Amino acid sequence: MMDVSPRLLPWSSLDGKPCYLVGEGGGFLSRMADEMEEAQLFLAGGLIEDAQRVFAARSWTAGELHLLAVELAESLVEVRRVAKSRGARLLAVSGAGA
């Protein structure tokens, strides 16, 4: 039997604590997490394009910059969580985490 490390899921509990999944990763919840990670990364890519467009126009309001900063920060939190989760799983698979 192989040692399976808990997987950091791409969402938090209602009180903001990280959620983990223990198992080998083939079940419904694991597939849902994979889909959510992909959606978060896709949305982050779109937000990057929006930011580049706003900055290139050089004609933004304070409100637009504030909203963009809030959305970028939220997206960065999500992308960082995905990176930490995937990095931990890579370490577990390679045996470097043992």
Side-chain angles (χ1 to χ4, degrees):
M1 181 170 77
M2 72 188 233
D3 180 32
V4 179
S5 299
R7 174 184 179 176
L8 177 62
L9 294 172
W11 55 79
S12 300
S13 68
L14 293 176
D15 57 352
K17 294 181 181 175
C19 294
Y20 294 90
L21 174 65
V22 178
E24 293 190 28
F28 172 78
L29 194 56
S30 182
R31 289 190 304 275
M32 182 189 308
D34 291 341
E35 290 172 9
M36 187 165 186
E37 285 180 354
E38 289 304 316
Q40 289 171 332
L41 294 174
F42 177 79
L43 291 172
L47 188 54
I48 290 168
E49 291 174 6
D50 290 346
Q52 290 171 331
R53 191 171 35 257
V54 166
F55 296 144
R58 297 190 182 271
S59 60
W60 52 78
T61 66
E64 289 171 327
L65 284 180
H66 181 262
L67 178 60
L68 181 59
V70 168
E71 290 176 342
L72 285 169
E74 290 172 353
S75 184
L76 188 56
V77 167
E78 293 173 348
V79 169
R80 181 174 183 262
R81 187 182 303 122
V82 170
K84 286 177 69 173
S85 177
R86 291 183 179 186
R89 286 184 282 153
L90 285 173
L91 285 175
V93 169
S94 71

